[in-house]
């Protein structure tokens, strides 16, 4: 049991079969599971079985890293409780930690605030052969900054072009970029926050600020729509992943990573030594 | 099926029941599996079932990180092919990547060479709540540096005290340290290197230098013995983990991490907000 149609095509914000028209979060049902017929039990089995393929492809990427091979950057954006943590644990976690570099971008420090908004993310661009994973990203600077007016609107407007240029620079340097919005419904978020308030082992994940942000839900969806429209490119595409079913969003993101890595068509690096000679030396050692 | 005796006690370089006497790598059979009666099939099952416990404890550590909780540093040292990569993938990889910071210390750069040997490891000391994992470490500077005379011996001799002071500083700052030597036999290493030369998908892991180092095997074992004797402390203990059976070394290191985390006796952080009030606010949002 697996996807009967590729999430890469189905979840892309800019559908090829819609003559390049853009999809907004409002067009996507957070409850849906595009391309997948099975239910939760099958989904968990798919997650487990495809983890091996993902892991294999990631090793291939890593193996090519030492000869200036490409890298992959996964950007994950979402409203609170949408399941970023689960993606990190269950999808990213199935790859070899030696070849994965994760970075989490919370509220900026005073020093970060004094710099250009791209300053703090640049050191986390993955090196050759690595899968970089960003839990939130430079998109915070056009999402919460737009919604909560942390930056004047004209300046936010300029940032979209800066983001396009930045991402193009990464692509030119050999980084493949996959940008994911985990798309949750406002009701489902209420249920998930309620669960955190019901369980003492979840209190630490709860912040009263989470409820404050809910008042701006529609503004956030609008900010996502604009950010996606402004920065979705062939080189750095956006995907809107329905996230009301945690298991679905996990197998969908897993499949997006697999598709991105497969499209690189990598091969195992050839020996840069004389294999037969080394066999003789080893036997004699 | 699990360990019938704790690897923490059995694998410690300084046995409590030997009136503090030290164990050297030469005293440990790389083929053995102390504390574990089962074979490979049971071992794999143990690895899978204990992964959940490790993951749970790591989340507890992470949850406490925001209130200046402790951190854990796992240092892994070994001869080539001893299975560091497998530990990273199968043991470290079962924890949430969001709370794990890994660092790999290969041959130093020119810049690193111009600094004190501890300079390059310091930025990788785990922050509060994190599990830090070092694939090789500052111990390279008293292992290969001693064996291959990359540093004059008197200077190497001084480094042991510097390492003790450095590690004590980390301990005082709330970092628990677990130091592991994966202990492989020279014959088993030959077999593993031979496999790399037989499989084109493994060529990239092979380096002719690996055979060169085999000529110094006994010197390396001696350097390990001295390093362990000089730097094993209650606060930063060494463990010699038999590594001829990959599955055993993995469940052993997994168990060491579990023991270290359990000994911290952490609890879920209490709510720093009014739970009932938040429930009402959430329901109204």
């Amino acid at each position: 049991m697996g996807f009967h149609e590729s999430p890469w095509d189905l979840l892309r914000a800019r559908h090829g079969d819609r003559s390049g028209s853009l999809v907004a979060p409002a067009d996507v049902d957070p409850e849906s599971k595009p391309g997948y017929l099975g239910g939760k039990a099958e989904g968990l089995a798919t997650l487990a079985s495809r983890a091996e393929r993902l892991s294999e492809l990631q090793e291939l990427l890593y193996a090519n890293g030492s000869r200036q091979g490409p890298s992959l950057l996964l950007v994950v954006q979402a409203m609170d409780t949408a399941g970023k943590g689960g993606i990190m644990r269950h999808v990213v976690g199935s790859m070899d930690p030696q070849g994965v570099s994760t970075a989490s971008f919370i509220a900026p420090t005073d020093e970060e605030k004094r710099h250009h908004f791209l300053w703090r993310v640049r050191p986390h661009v993955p090196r050759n052969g690595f899968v970089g994973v960003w839990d939130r990203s430079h998109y915070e600077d056009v999402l919460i900054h737009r919604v909560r007016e942390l930056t004047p609107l004209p300046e936010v407007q300029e940032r979209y072009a800066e983001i396009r240029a930045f991402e193009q620079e990464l692509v030119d340097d050999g980084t493949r970029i996959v940008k994911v919005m985990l798309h949750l419904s406002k009701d489902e978020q209420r249920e998930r926050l309620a669960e955190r308030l019901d369980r003492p082992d979840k209190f630490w994940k709860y912040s009263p600020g989470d409820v404050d942000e809910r008042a701006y839900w529609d503004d956030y969806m609008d900010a996502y729509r604009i950010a996606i429209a402004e920065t979705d490119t062939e080189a750095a595409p956006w995907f809107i992943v329905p996230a009301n079913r945690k298991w679905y969003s996990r197998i969908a993101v897993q499949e997006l990573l697999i598709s991105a890595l497969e499209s690189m068509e990598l091969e195992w690096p050839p020996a840069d030594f004389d294999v037969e000679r080394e066999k003789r030396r080893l036997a004699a050692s």
Side-chain angles (χ1 to χ4, degrees), chain A:
Chain A
M1 173 68 69
F3 280 91
H4 60 83
E5 201 173 337
S6 163
W8 189 274
D9 300 321
L10 288 172
L11 305 181
R12 264 218 65 180
R14 191 180 299 275
H15 280 212
D17 59 357
R18 298 193 192 181
S19 45
S21 67
L22 265 171
V23 180
D27 304 324
V28 177
D29 179 2
E31 202 75 41
S32 65
K33 46 186 180 77
Y36 200 80
L37 293 173
K40 183 173 178 178
E42 290 92 342
L44 294 178
T46 295
L47 185 70
S49 72
R50 292 295 275 170
E52 212 162 311
R53 177 68 181 145
L54 176 59
S55 180
E56 179 182 274
L57 286 163
Q58 180 259 318
E59 189 179 12
L60 196 52
L61 182 75
Y62 186 78
N64 279 276
S66 54
R67 18 172 242 171
Q68 300 197 291
S71 61
L72 175 63
L73 173 61
L74 172 68
V75 172
V76 185
Q77 287 289 157
M79 300 298 283
D80 275 318
T81 76
K84 287 190 285 89
I87 296 287
M88 299 303 153
R89 185 180 276 265
H90 299 283
V91 181
V92 176
S94 75
M95 293 182 282
D96 189 337
Q98 290 174 108
V100 178
S101 56
T102 59
S104 178
F105 298 99
I106 50 171
T109 63
D110 286 341
E111 188 188 15
E112 286 168 350
K113 282 179 191 165
R114 287 193 297 270
H115 285 274
H116 188 277
F117 76 100
L118 293 172
W119 181 79
R120 68 171 182 159
V121 299
R122 285 192 179 273
H124 298 282
V125 171
R127 57 179 71 181
N128 291 331
F130 272 68
V131 178
V133 182
W134 291 0
D135 177 350
R136 306 186 189 275
S137 66
H138 48 301
Y139 283 97
E140 291 295 304
D141 299 274
V142 294
L143 292 169
I144 189 171
H145 278 251
R146 184 179 185 109
V147 171
R148 304 302 300 262
E149 297 173 1
L150 306 180
T151 300
L153 188 58
E155 205 176 312
V156 168
Q157 302 277 25
E158 283 168 23
R159 288 180 175 175
Y160 301 114
E162 293 180 283
I163 288 176
R164 285 194 301 269
F166 167 63
E167 293 180 354
Q168 187 60 52
E169 175 194 321
L170 266 54
V171 169
D172 294 344
D173 195 34
T175 301
R176 201 67 64 98
I177 306 178
V178 171
K179 300 182 289 193
V180 163
M181 178 210 182
L182 297 179
H183 183 40
L184 187 76
S185 70
K186 194 178 174 189
D187 283 347
E188 176 69 19
Q189 190 195 49
R190 185 192 292 109
E191 283 183 35
R192 294 187 185 178
L193 287 173
E195 194 195 348
R196 291 184 181 180
L197 288 170
D198 275 338
R199 291 176 49 178
D201 64 332
K202 300 279 186 191
F203 285 168
W204 68 279
K205 291 186 170 186
Y206 182 87
S207 156
D210 297 345
V211 171
D212 300 335
E213 294 306 306
R214 284 174 58 77
Y216 300 88
W217 191 274
D218 293 344
D219 296 332
Y220 272 108
M221 291 306 110
D222 215 41
Y224 269 104
R225 182 184 57 76
I226 296 165
I228 290 170
E230 291 280 352
T231 65
D232 178 277
T233 62
E234 269 314 306
W238 270 105
F239 299 87
I240 302 174
V241 177
N244 273 19
R245 305 174 200 242
K246 288 180 184 172
W247 62 267
Y248 175 80
S249 60
R250 290 171 192 170
I251 56 175
V253 173
Q254 183 184 56
E255 213 58 39
L256 293 177
L257 291 173
I258 289 173
S259 295
L261 289 166
E262 283 181 339
S263 73
M264 294 178 185
E265 299 184 338
L266 296 171
E267 302 198 352
W268 294 108
D272 54 2
F273 48 82
D274 179 336
V275 175
E276 294 309 317
R277 177 168 177 273
E278 289 303 315
K279 283 183 179 173
R280 290 192 299 274
R281 288 181 66 225
L282 177 62
S285 75

